[in-house]
Amino acid sequence: MTTRSIASRSATRSALNTTASDRAFRKAARVWFGRTGIYWVVPLTILITWQALVMSGVIPQRILPAPSGVLQTAITLFTEEGLAEDIGVSTARALAGLAIGGGIGLVLGMFNGLFPLSEKLLDTTVQMIRTIPHLALVPLVILWFGIDEKARLFLIALGVFFPIYVNTFMGIRYVDRNLVEMGRVYGLNTPQLFWQIILPGALPSILLGLRLALGVMWLTLIVAETIAANAGLGYLAAQAREFMRTDVVVFVIVTYALLGKLADVIARFLEHRLLAWHPNYQKRAR
């Protein structure tokens, strides 16, 4: 075999490997776009349109800064004004309120869904309180807790309590009773029925309640941080309002939106992990 033929075969093999690698890359790119990238099509379109409208002068800079200006403001805030600390404070507040209110809502929803006596005693009262807009309680909350951290945590916890409670309660109530009876026939005791049949059956509704609660959590946080906060994104926005810094206010709003998007991605990940067995979820995931 000549040196030329060996080199030719090596080049052919290299070209085939490159072609296969390109095909694999394109396939991976299509899969990523189909599953993940498509979620960002509309946000990116909005950003591009926003930038174009500001650059063309249709929207004045003093009314709404361009995304590029907001990005520059973000870099300045991160490097010079401790933005990471404000984001950390706001996130800690939100998660603490979610843990308190969500935990109480989950437990109470399970009790009322499992025990008819508990439902008769408590559910009507909870539903009556649910009709009161929790943000309308801000003046009363200030009177109760003052303007310290307890007031903000109370508002967030109250806001996330109801979506998780209602969805947990309804999820347990609408578990297929035939499955429960079948479990009893197979000799499952009460704890086994709960962990193996009732809780998995109610899990889709509970996770829906979590997603709704995450939205309410960020909405409530925005209002709660206006109650004389001395740190956090709401405090940063209030300071920017005093100095007419529109770019900072817009950046804070975008940051809230991104945090909300991140929370929704985490909720979807939990659905993917916890509902992989569910037939309806399997059809939606394809």
Side-chain angles (χ1 to χ4, degrees):
M1 185 179 294
T2 65
T3 303
R4 182 177 297 177
S5 64
I6 293 174
S8 176
R9 289 186 179 183
S10 177
T12 302
R13 199 159 41 240
S14 177
L16 290 174
N17 289 337
T18 302
T19 304
S21 176
D22 289 343
R23 283 200 300 266
F25 176 78
R26 288 195 293 269
K27 181 179 179 181
R30 285 196 301 270
V31 171
W32 178 86
F33 183 81
R35 293 184 178 178
T36 304
I38 194 170
Y39 295 124
W40 296 97
V41 170
V42 173
L44 289 175
T45 302
I46 292 173
L47 285 176
I48 293 170
T49 305
W50 175 7
Q51 180 76 27
L53 290 174
V54 175
M55 291 181 66
S56 63
V58 176
I59 301 177
Q61 281 273 6
R62 62 182 179 83
I63 299 298
L64 187 65
S68 56
V70 175
L71 178 60
Q72 183 60 47
T73 300
I75 294 172
T76 302
L77 290 173
F78 265 112
T79 56
E80 298 177 9
E81 300 186 29
L83 177 62
E85 182 180 350
D86 287 319
I87 293 177
V89 169
S90 292
T91 304
R93 282 178 184 145
L95 294 179
L98 177 66
I100 296 170
I104 296 173
L106 182 67
V107 172
L108 189 60
M110 286 182 177
F111 264 90
N112 287 355
L114 291 171
F115 305 111
L117 178 60
S118 177
E119 177 194 353
K120 292 175 183 177
L121 289 173
L122 300 174
D123 183 62
T124 302
T125 303
V126 172
Q127 298 297 342
M128 188 167 53
I129 298 173
R130 186 170 66 89
T131 60
I132 303 172
H134 68 287
L135 294 179
L137 298 176
V138 170
L140 189 59
V141 169
I142 293 175
L143 292 175
W144 285 347
F145 300 104
I147 57 174
D148 62 4
E149 203 66 25
K150 294 178 183 177
R152 290 180 277 276
L153 289 178
F154 178 82
L155 282 173
I156 297 169
L158 185 64
V160 304
F161 166 81
F162 294 108
I164 293 180
Y165 166 78
V166 170
N167 282 275
T168 302
F169 173 65
M170 298 305 293
I172 289 178
R173 285 294 301 272
Y174 286 101
V175 170
D176 191 344
R177 294 302 159 188
N178 292 326
L179 292 177
V180 177
E181 291 301 325
M182 185 181 298
R184 289 197 177 100
V185 169
Y186 279 97
L188 298 181
N189 56 34
T190 300
Q192 290 172 332
L193 282 173
F194 176 77
W195 289 108
Q196 297 182 29
I197 295 179
I198 296 175
L199 183 59
L203 198 56
S205 182
I206 294 173
L207 291 176
L208 173 61
L210 175 62
R211 290 187 69 180
L212 294 173
L214 288 172
V216 175
M217 176 185 75
W218 293 114
L219 174 64
T220 309
L221 178 68
I222 297 171
V223 178
E225 287 193 328
T226 63
I227 305 176
N230 55 12
L233 290 172
Y235 168 74
L236 186 63
Q239 292 292 104
R241 180 192 62 202
E242 296 295 327
F243 294 99
M244 301 294 292
R245 292 288 307 276
T246 310
D247 54 343
V248 177
V249 174
V250 172
F251 170 71
V252 170
I253 294 171
V254 172
T255 304
Y256 277 125
L258 291 176
L259 289 172
K261 180 68 175 178
L262 176 62
D264 189 69
V265 168
I266 294 172
R268 285 178 177 271
F269 173 76
L270 290 176
E271 286 183 352
H272 176 73
R273 294 299 301 270
L274 298 177
L275 297 180
W277 56 271
H278 199 284
N280 293 334
Y281 182 81
Q282 290 172 354
K283 291 178 183 177
R284 189 178 64 182
R286 289 195 186 106

